[in-house]
Amino acid sequence: MSTTPEGDQGAAAPGWTATDIPDQVGRTVVVTGGNSGLGLETCRALAKRGARVILAARDLDKGDAAAESIRAEVPDAEVETRFLDLADLSTVAEFASSIESVDVLINNAGVMMPPRTLSAQGHELQFAVNHLGHFALTAHLLDVLKDGDAPRVVTVSSFLHKRGRMHFDDLHGEHKYTRAGYYSQSKLANVVFGLELHRRLRTNGFTVASVLAHPGYAATNLQSSGPTGVAKLAMKLSNRLAQDAAMGALPQLYAATAQDVESGQFYGPNGRKEQKGYPTLVQPLEAARDRELAKRLWDVSEELSGTSFGLAAR
Ligand SMILES: NC(=O)c1ccc[n+]([C@@H]2O[C@H](COP(=O)([O-])OP(=O)(O)OC[C@H]3O[C@@H](n4cnc5c(N)ncnc54)[C@H](OP(=O)(O)O)[C@@H]3O)[C@@H](O)[C@H]2O)c1
């Protein structure tokens, strides 16, 4: 037995792996950042179980190569690459308008610890890609999602959300940007958003589930694409101790497919300090449940992204 963020009891199956994913034939899944790391493993595992996978990538060549690698392993895989740059909200809207049906949206793409950079709309890159782009994408897709079969939104955060603080007075790090601090801010925003989405969907009578997941520590491109200098070198070394991307993807695969998953839950690995292992229910930072914080983040995200869910708060 384990505990949901809302205090209910539930359990994840011990030792659950991708082979335990229920049959996905007839289901359509959108995976952001589907060309690399956890996203690619998620697309691969879902395609193997028969899902139609829409692999969203900001680089179509990389997306097509990833889709090809899945087809090489799963010849009848239904995988389609589509362009999505979460750092440009206009492409988020365009991508969303191309989606006619979806049962599961996996908000997976992310960037970690780059030098301070701004998105096309002038927002700090980690907040823009990891949170704001996914917030806007989910808002755009809600109408299509609500017609899905047992629809779910899975948002991928990190155990580092526990080090996060929302800098509402300096959201874009204009005054005091730190790479790690703003990564943690974006991952805290993922958790606050996922929980608030769960509450608002329920309050407004929607059956779409909002579930959170984090991978623990998995060796992927994340540790080399953003960090530079000593941090990049240190991560290259610590990656030797990390689990692989296929293991890291299990919590989000569980959140996306397991039948006992409930809206508002958070899945991570069951090992020491949630760094590696098989999916289990985990707890968010206590402050991430704060309703005032959630309302403030929701309002500012609607304003900055120019999107609205039309979902009243409880
Ligand atoms: N690996 C870990 O240990 C770990 C730990 C905690 C949380 N996470 C979270 O897991 C998620 C997946 O990360 P990963 O480890 O699989 O890293 P990854 O291998 O670097 O994959 C990240 C994906 O996000 C995409 N992406 C980056 N910026 C984007 C943008 N502007 N628009 C659209 N896509 C964009 C990347 O595209 P490109 O290939 O074109 O760069 C890539 O496909 C992230 O949300 C990360 O925060 C990972």
Side-chain angles (χ1 to χ4, degrees), residues 200-212:
R200 290 195 188 217
L201 288 167
R202 290 296 159 276
T203 299
N204 292 274
F206 284 73
T207 56
V208 182
S210 169
V211 190
L212 288 156

Side-chain angles (χ1 to χ4, degrees), residues 25-107:
V25 172
R27 291 178 72 67
T28 298
V29 185
V30 169
V31 183
T32 69
N35 62 282
S36 173
L38 310 177
L40 174 55
E41 293 307 325
T42 298
C43 291
R44 192 194 316 278
L46 292 170
K48 273 187 189 167
R49 299 297 292 138
R52 171 175 172 247
V53 175
I54 298 176
L55 186 161
R58 65 171 162 166
D59 178 325
L60 281 178
D61 289 339
K62 283 192 198 172
D64 287 340
E68 209 39 63
S69 80
I70 295 173
R71 274 185 223 107
E73 199 180 328
V74 191
D76 57 351
E78 260 196 275
V79 189
E80 246 178 82
T81 307
R82 294 205 196 162
F83 177 72
L84 169 67
D85 181 358
L86 290 155
D88 183 348
L89 292 166
S90 66
T91 82
V92 175
E94 265 171 52
F95 171 82
S97 67
S98 78
I99 305 292
E100 281 158 8
S101 73
V102 59
D103 303 300
V104 183
L105 166 64
I106 306 185
N107 288 327

Side-chain angles (χ1 to χ4, degrees), residues 38 49 54-55 60 70 91 96 115 118 125 131 139 141 153-155 159-160 168 197 221 226 233-234 269 302:
L38 310 177
R49 299 297 292 138
I54 298 176
L55 186 161
L60 281 178
I70 295 173
T91 82
L118 298 182
L125 192 71
H131 168 64
L141 287 180
V153 177
V154 176
T155 301
F159 56 85
L160 288 175
F168 287 114
L197 180 64
N221 288 331
L233 196 64
E302 286 198 332

Side-chain angles (χ1 to χ4, degrees), residues 192-201 291 294-295 298 313:
V192 174
F193 164 61
L195 295 177
E196 180 67 1
L197 180 64
H198 156 67
R199 290 189 288 267
R200 290 195 188 217
L201 288 167
R291 303 281 174 93
K295 184 173 182 326
W298 194 273

Side-chain angles (χ1 to χ4, degrees), residues 31-41 55-60 62-63 83-88 91-92 107-112 125 128-130 134 155-161 183 186-187 190 213-226 239 242-245 248 252 275:
V31 183
T32 69
N35 62 282
S36 173
L38 310 177
L40 174 55
E41 293 307 325
L55 186 161
R58 65 171 162 166
D59 178 325
L60 281 178
K62 283 192 198 172
F83 177 72
L84 169 67
D85 181 358
L86 290 155
D88 183 348
T91 82
V92 175
N107 288 327
N108 161 82
V111 57
M112 180 175 75
L125 192 71
V129 171
N130 301 357
H134 286 127
T155 301
V156 180
S157 179
S158 162
F159 56 85
L160 288 175
H161 84 274
Y183 178 68
S186 72
K187 292 286 127 182
N190 287 151
H214 85 79
Y217 185 6
T220 64
N221 288 331
L222 193 74
Q223 296 86 13
S224 54
S225 54
N239 268 10
Q243 58 186 351
D244 64 20
Q252 63 204 58
Q275 294 287 300

